[in-house]
Amino acid sequence: MRLRRTAATAVSALALALSLPAAPAGAATGPFTYVYTDRTGTPHVGLLPDPVSRVCITLPEVADPALPPAHTPKNYTKSVATVFAGVDCTGDFFSLRPNGGHGSERLKVRSVVFS
């Protein structure tokens, strides 16, 4: 049931992101999604629609080190997304290609920067 709810939320978030207006200058055009778990243990899909380029973005839902990191990032932007295990773009990192690059549940994420 939880997986079905997460999948439905992800599809809804992607549909919403694709219907948003054009990106402002300096933005990585397109949506970036990730899965995070709230304090009750419920998974949710996070969304960064048209995120700013060349600026480190700490994912707000997982900035608190007491919470588990996000995972399963999906990069639907037109820019390379480099995800980091720590806040403020610190720690281990991995690059996701533009237009569909993604990571599995094993890829732990707390921040991201777009080229």
Side-chain angles (χ1 to χ4, degrees):
M1 182 66 176
R2 208 182 245 185
L3 180 60
R4 187 176 298 151
R5 187 175 359 173
T6 300
T9 304
V11 170
S12 297
L14 183 58
L16 173 64
L18 294 176
S19 69
L20 295 174
T29 306
F32 177 83
T33 64
Y34 51 94
V35 177
Y36 67 95
T37 304
D38 67 18
R39 294 188 187 278
T40 67
T42 304
H44 300 277
V45 175
L47 170 68
L48 298 176
D50 299 324
V52 177
S53 295
R54 297 182 183 88
V55 174
C56 179
I57 301 168
T58 295
L59 305 178
E61 301 89 350
V62 296
D64 181 350
L67 294 172
H71 58 85
T72 319
K74 295 183 181 173
N75 182 24
Y76 297 108
T77 72
K78 294 182 180 179
S79 301
V80 172
T82 303
V83 296
F84 293 82
V87 297
D88 300 324
C89 296
T90 60
D92 293 339
F93 62 91
F94 185 81
S95 293
L96 302 172
R97 65 180 171 75
N99 302 313
H102 59 279
S104 72
E105 189 173 329
R106 296 184 326 211
L107 183 57
K108 305 305 181 192
V109 180
R110 289 194 189 269
S111 56
V112 61
V113 65
F114 297 88
S115 63

